[in-house]
Amino acid sequence: MTTLTHRRFSRNVLNRLIDDAPTNPPCLTDDHRRSLSARFRAVVSVEHRRLDAWMVERAGQPFDAFRWSPTTAKRVVGNAALRRSINDPTLTRFDAVDIELTDQLLRVTSGYARPGSLASYLAQSSPAVLGLVSAEAANWTTQLGEAAESIAAPWSVPTSDAYYDVARARTTLRGRRDLIIPRGLSRILLRVRAGAPGKSAGPGLRADLTIDALAEPTGLAAARVIGLWPEAGVVLSVDGTMEDLRYGARDLVRTAVASQRRTLLRAA
């Protein structure tokens, strides 16, 4: 059985979910990794594919190619701004957003920005679009910061999401994580999303749980993954159990299969 739980969001509920998290999460072994790799290799793909929780929640349905916009840029800029405000308490979150945007633009003038990167997108944007990015990022970092400040335990903002390249399968997995709360030798992950959770939000959390464990060199799973939807006032969580890790791996493979079938149907 999955360990998915559903709660109304409050400071007490969030701290209870952290305090009550399991203390002995399992480890993924080399055998687990080889088995997953074999399953992905069986789903032949001509192009390199990228899978994440959002694709799992959509069951592999087709979607428009990724492109930068104020909405897609807000999380990257907002998370980086929150890290800046933590390192320099004299900064307000709005100041931290402005500094992060300036730093992104400096990467372009210094020649360190790749084509298609966030920095390149910002450099090519009009002042009006930059204003929208700033407003979206400020709102995001405020929501994430308020959630983080309600946590009694120590926490940090990770510098990146979890990435795992499946061996010989032309597949990269990306696990979303916005806050990390240490839990003994393991950790608790907190992921923030806009809007309200759909019926497939649970599989999305399990996918993030599995990808994070795969990306961890030791294979040690997170004790719990918590999904927070501030606008809806909802919290969902999944424990780091072997059963939920298996569910997450299965859903990722099923998403690859569904996506490949749609590709073949379009080709026919």
Side-chain angles (χ1 to χ4, degrees), residues 28 80 111 137 167:
L28 293 179

Side-chain angles (χ1 to χ4, degrees), residues 114-129:
R114 301 187 311 274
S117 66
L118 172 60
S120 295
Y121 161 72
L122 294 173
Q124 297 167 9
S125 298
S126 66
V129 171

Side-chain angles (χ1 to χ4, degrees), residues 33-232:
R33 296 176 190 273
R34 282 191 289 267
S35 175
L36 181 65
S37 177
R39 293 170 69 185
F40 272 113
R41 289 200 305 273
V43 187
V44 180
S45 177
V46 176
E47 298 179 347
H48 191 95
R49 60 190 163 212
R50 296 177 180 270
L51 301 176
D52 58 15
W54 185 75
M55 292 186 67
V56 168
E57 292 174 20
R58 289 175 55 88
Q61 293 179 12
F63 56 91
D64 295 333
F66 176 83
R67 64 181 183 86
W68 289 110
S69 68
T71 300
T72 55
K74 67 180 180 182
R75 178 173 175 261
V76 178
V77 176
N79 283 12
L82 183 58
R83 283 195 301 273
R84 287 181 182 274
S85 64
I86 293 168
N87 294 329
D88 185 355
T90 64
L91 290 176
T92 68
R93 290 183 184 136
F94 294 99
D95 290 338
V97 168
D98 288 339
I99 293 173
E100 177 59 25
L101 288 175
T102 300
D103 185 65
Q104 290 283 346
L105 294 171
L106 285 175
R107 294 180 192 181
V108 177
T109 59
S110 302
Y112 290 108
R114 301 187 311 274
S117 66
L118 172 60
S120 295
Y121 161 72
L122 294 173
Q124 297 167 9
S125 298
S126 66
V129 171
L130 289 175
L132 287 174
V133 173
S134 178
E136 291 275 8
N139 182 59
W140 177 269
T141 196
T142 297
Q143 286 187 330
L144 181 60
E146 288 176 350
E149 289 171 354
S150 70
I151 298 173
W155 52 269
S156 63
V157 183
T159 55
S160 72
D161 287 328
Y163 288 89
Y164 181 73
D165 288 321
V166 184
R168 298 178 294 164
R170 292 185 177 181
T171 302
T172 298
L173 308 178
R174 180 179 73 94
R176 187 164 170 162
R177 51 189 185 181
D178 295 308
L179 295 179
I180 297 179
I181 301 102
R183 176 78 170 182
L185 297 176
S186 183
R187 61 216 170 275
I188 295 170
L189 307 179
L190 189 141
R191 189 191 77 179
V192 177
R193 292 279 291 271
K199 294 180 180 178
S200 56
L205 289 176
R206 290 197 297 265
D208 281 330
L209 169 72
T210 302
I211 297 168
D212 179 78
L214 289 166
E216 178 67 22
T218 64
L220 182 64
R224 178 170 282 168
V225 177
I226 300 172
L228 172 60
W229 286 259
E231 295 168 4

